[in-house]
Amino acid sequence: MSSQSPQAPQSAPPSPAPSLTEVEAHGVDRIPDAERTATPLDLFRLAFGGANTFSTCVLGAFPILFGLSFWQGLAATLLGVVVGALILCPMAVFGPVNGTNNAVSSSAHLGVHGRVVGSFLSLLTAVAFFSISVWSSGDALVGGAHRLFGLTRGNLSYVVAYALFAGLVLAVCVYGFRFMLFVNKVAVPSASVLFLIGAIAFAGDFDPSYAGVFTDSADAATQSLFWPSFIGAALIVLSNPVSFGAFLGDWSRYIPASTPRRKVIGAAFLSQIATLLPFVFGLATASIIATKVPEYVDPAAPDFVGGLLAISPGWYFLPVCLLALIGGMATGTTALYGTGLDFSSVFPRLSRVQATLLVGGLSIAFIFVGRFGLDLVQSISTFATMIITCTTPWMVVMMLGYWTRRGWYDPDALQVFNRRQRGGRYWFAHGWNWRGMTAWWVAALIGVLFTNIPGQFVGPLGDLAGGVDISLPLSLAVAAVLFLVLLRLFPEPRAVYGPEGARLARTVEVPVPPITGPGAKGDAEPLSDPSATLRA
């Protein structure tokens, strides 16, 4: 695999970084080389900062909610984080290679029109995790203020807290990448310190011998639920790193194309390993809550934030409020920024700022309806599992596509959809690459059919593995095998591969339709020769 895209022009001297208060002008168009001044460390800050929050602690509490002991829950957490990080980290390379986000890059493997799949998945992910962030941080802020200042815990208090978070997050996203990076530079060390202070606050109450419900004295019916509960808890943890799959390109596109791929992949991997801090904090405090105030971990009506405040010493209430404010900002911005960015390309009449305001407004409406009108908060685990079930096969297609193409892409052809044009290397069949599309939807459908979340959602085939949720490994395997088989049986045009040719895939020599439409440079030359000069 070549380490960088051969068609990328030589890097120009970097331009001075814009000021924090300068609204970002770029949408999903290719970032000019001179403006790519970010580093793998910046990618680490954004990816880790987006997960170093209360919302991750809530996900970390699920092993205890599922009845696992502390050590069993720690094993499920480690499994989920490490596997999720391994699945996620290759998705970081598309940004530096193509200078755009991952949904646009997916045009190369799903087709000019098929790239909307990535946009749809990023929208679902953003709304879900933005909502979790606002709910958990808002609840913590109101609860902490109640204990500190006697603030009434009525609906009005929650409305104000949610509106405050949502408004601040929206403002940061409107200003764009540089402002978001600044927030995370402050949030990452601050939140980490507050979590470490929390470890001191709860050290006296923590007992690693918390046994859960799967003890030697448990009846046979309970024992039979251990593996379904263990796998279900690991999948919920895994949903957190996988949720970044559609967004990594939003941030890594500002990294120079010449940056070694191993550094970019390493930054993405380590950013998720670092999330063990909030995950273990949530797991450990949930075990304390289950021991001291078990009513807060009732699976029928769990309230992790309320339980955390109930067991907190008085001096930790202020750090809880600070952690809620800082963490809510970090998670909310990383979730919302990418979707606003991407929808400015799906609806080209909208600028990045207008698309961000639109998606932000819809997300805020969802937050209030979900919190006060419906019972959506308790469906977090189901929604998170459904997201990874549908997103992971898409990521597999992307990564195998990168590997078979040897990391070679045509940045100009990737922008055809955004410019409302037609043709180019990635036009395939009327804008759809049915090979990648078929591998994605078949694998996602099979994953949903085999999903088994104890007590919440069981697919029609979810009991075939003895109650164990095998949806993720099955969808991963189906997507990988089916995509590679389709590439062999139904070769793609030779022109979509670089000068070095295809890896583990057959090709066919067919003419590539010229790019036509608004802004096209006339009839382009037939691009069956992949070494042809590319347009900038």
Side-chain angles (χ1 to χ4, degrees), residues 345-427:
S345 66
V346 176
F347 302 101
R349 292 186 179 181
L350 300 177
S351 67
R352 184 195 66 83
V353 172
Q354 292 171 329
T356 299
L357 291 172
L358 174 62
V359 174
L362 294 174
S363 300
I364 292 170
F366 176 83
I367 288 169
F368 283 104
V369 172
R371 178 62 174 82
F372 299 109
L374 301 174
D375 192 19
L376 296 180
V377 180
Q378 295 182 29
S379 299
I380 289 174
S381 61
T382 301
F383 199 22
T385 303
M386 291 297 100
I387 287 173
I388 66 168
T389 301
C390 294
T391 301
T392 306
W394 177 80
M395 294 167 64
V396 170
V397 170
M398 290 279 288
M399 289 183 282
L400 285 177
Y402 181 96
W403 187 69
T404 59
R405 305 273 180 91
R406 303 179 188 272
W408 190 93
Y409 294 89
D410 179 350
D412 190 53
L414 291 175
Q415 297 290 335
V416 165
F417 180 93
N418 310 329
R419 299 168 181 164
R420 286 301 181 264
Q421 297 171 332
R422 298 169 61 86
R425 296 179 190 269
Y426 307 128
W427 188 247

Side-chain angles (χ1 to χ4, degrees), residues 17-32 35 99 172-179 253-254 337 340-342 344-345 348 350-356 415:
S19 66
L20 293 178
T21 55
E22 180 179 339
V23 176
E24 182 183 3
H26 290 295
V28 292
D29 50 306
R30 188 177 185 277
I31 303 299
E35 297 182 31
V172 173
C173 291
V174 165
Y175 277 107
F177 177 79
R178 298 295 170 187
F179 205 148
R253 67 197 178 112
Y254 277 96
Y337 169 79
L341 174 70
D342 193 53
S344 66
S345 66
L350 300 177
S351 67
R352 184 195 66 83
V353 172
Q354 292 171 329
T356 299
Q415 297 290 335

